Amino acid sequence: MSPPAPKTVPPARRGVPPHGGIPPAVFAAINDRLDELERENRVRILLAVESGSRAWGFPSPDSDFDVRFVYAHDLGWYLSLDSRRDVIELPIEGDLDINGWDIKKALSLLIKPNPVLLEWLQSPIAYRADEGVKNQLMALANRTAHRRPLMHHYLHHGRAQFRDHIDGRDTVSLKRYFYVVRPALALRWIRQHPDRLVPMALPELLSGLDMPGHAVSAIEDLISRKTRSRELGEGKRSRVLDELVLTEFELAERSAPERTPIPLDLLDGANSLFRELVRAP
């Protein structure tokens, strides 16, 4: 006999619309879709947040809603001989882009660490959250902030975006410019605050950095232009921003720490949390 489908998440675990500027109707539609996903896949959604430009703090008027979530199956699902998918991915429906990771996958990536998951945990826009679980995940995340893969992720991503979408062009996509500027600021944060997680939201990230005034002004101008333009809006390149990002990339390349194995106590903590979550009713 198949196990009963999970119950709909209690309203207390939902965010409070309109959170982070999300229209109430969109907020409700997203939560309804998450309820359907729980029933269809027999999972418990532990955390669901907004990712992308809305959570980063520089959305365009027509930006999509990028919903990302972490979920858990019951214990029996994990004690199976067959290989099973550890992601739930939906086709984009209008302006809704929704997908999620199984908790085992999420924890395995978190302890490396995985910058994407670190951002989900810090998203200022939450559609739903089990606060106890989120706090446990954050406690684990705070122990990974210094690790080498974090710096290499931002460096590789920023370099690739600059090479493919900025270098050699006079006019560039404002969205792509942010995909270069934000990794550079993340690298600067890691250099200035090596034991603290990189904030997800750009205003918080920027406010915590020691930055020259002209660079701050250039970033604020870019934010202003991006929030007034459509998602594919373009604009002139900035010499100040180019110098900022290239300098940060060069500094990161010279100072990246050596690769080290995942500490056993970190792995033990992740394993304990995983067992606790999949045994939960």
Side-chain angles (χ1 to χ4, degrees):
M1 180 180 297
S2 299
K7 295 180 180 180
T8 301
V9 67
R13 290 185 179 176
R14 295 191 176 193
V16 180
H19 194 355
I22 305 297
V26 174
F27 183 94
I30 288 171
N31 268 286
D32 288 345
R33 191 69 183 97
L34 294 175
D35 287 340
E36 292 174 2
L37 288 174
E38 286 191 312
R39 291 192 296 269
E40 293 167 359
N41 295 278
R42 301 186 183 280
V43 298
R44 289 175 292 118
I45 292 179
L46 307 172
L47 175 73
V49 301
E50 182 70 21
S51 182
S53 59
R54 291 181 183 275
W56 289 332
F58 47 84
S60 297
D62 59 340
S63 289
D64 289 345
F65 298 91
D66 298 307
V67 184
R68 301 293 180 264
F69 61 94
V70 176
Y71 62 90
H73 287 275
D74 59 32
L75 181 60
W77 190 90
Y78 299 98
L79 300 177
S80 302
L81 295 177
D82 54 321
S83 298
R84 301 186 174 191
R85 282 177 57 81
D86 56 6
V87 297
I88 296 174
E89 297 173 312
L90 299 183
I92 295 177
E93 303 170 352
D95 56 2
L96 296 184
D97 181 359
I98 304 176
N99 61 69
W101 291 351
D102 177 78
I103 186 61
K104 184 175 183 179
K105 175 185 178 74
L107 285 170
S108 297
L109 292 173
L110 181 61
I111 59 177
K112 289 185 177 181
N114 179 273
V116 174
L117 187 56
L118 294 178
E119 291 184 358
W120 294 3
L121 290 172
Q122 298 181 86
S123 175
I125 304 174
Y127 294 105
R128 63 178 59 178
D130 182 318
E131 290 300 328
V133 173
K134 182 179 178 181
N135 290 339
Q136 289 175 295
L137 290 171
M138 279 299 299
L140 201 62
N142 279 313
R143 297 168 59 190
T144 72
H146 63 287
R147 294 186 55 75
R148 181 177 185 262
L150 200 62
M151 180 178 288
H152 280 265
H153 167 86
Y154 288 119
L155 177 58
H156 174 77
H157 179 68
R159 281 281 197 204
Q161 290 290 325
F162 189 89
R163 179 190 65 241
D164 295 342
H165 302 287
I166 306 297
D167 198 21
R169 303 167 186 249
D170 294 325
T171 301
V172 299
S173 161
L174 300 180
K175 179 178 181 178
R176 294 293 181 181
Y177 226 150
F178 271 110
Y179 288 174
V180 171
V181 170
R182 191 175 177 281
L185 295 180
L187 290 169
R188 191 179 185 94
W189 180 280
I190 293 170
R191 183 160 52 84
Q192 294 184 0
H193 308 290
D195 297 321
R196 293 167 55 190
L197 292 177
V198 178
M200 181 184 193
L202 186 62
E204 182 184 354
L205 174 58
L206 193 58
S207 67
L209 290 172
D210 180 11
M211 296 273 293
H214 66 285
V216 173
S217 296
I219 294 170
E220 290 175 343
D221 177 66
L222 183 62
I223 294 173
S224 177
R225 287 191 287 157
K226 174 68 163 57
T227 55
R228 294 196 310 268
S229 69
R230 296 185 63 81
E231 187 73 0
L232 300 179
E234 295 187 337
K236 293 290 186 181
R237 283 177 64 177
S238 163
R239 178 183 56 81
V240 173
L241 293 181
D242 288 352
E243 290 178 353
L244 170 69
V245 300
L246 292 176
T247 297
E248 290 301 331
F249 295 161
E250 290 168 5
L251 288 172
E253 285 180 338
R254 295 201 299 264
S255 62
E258 294 298 320
R259 184 181 299 276
T260 57
I262 296 172
L264 288 178
D265 62 332
L266 186 61
L267 180 58
D268 288 343
N271 279 326
S272 295
L273 180 55
F274 170 67
R275 294 176 188 126
E276 176 184 338
L277 293 178
V278 301
R279 286 175 180 147

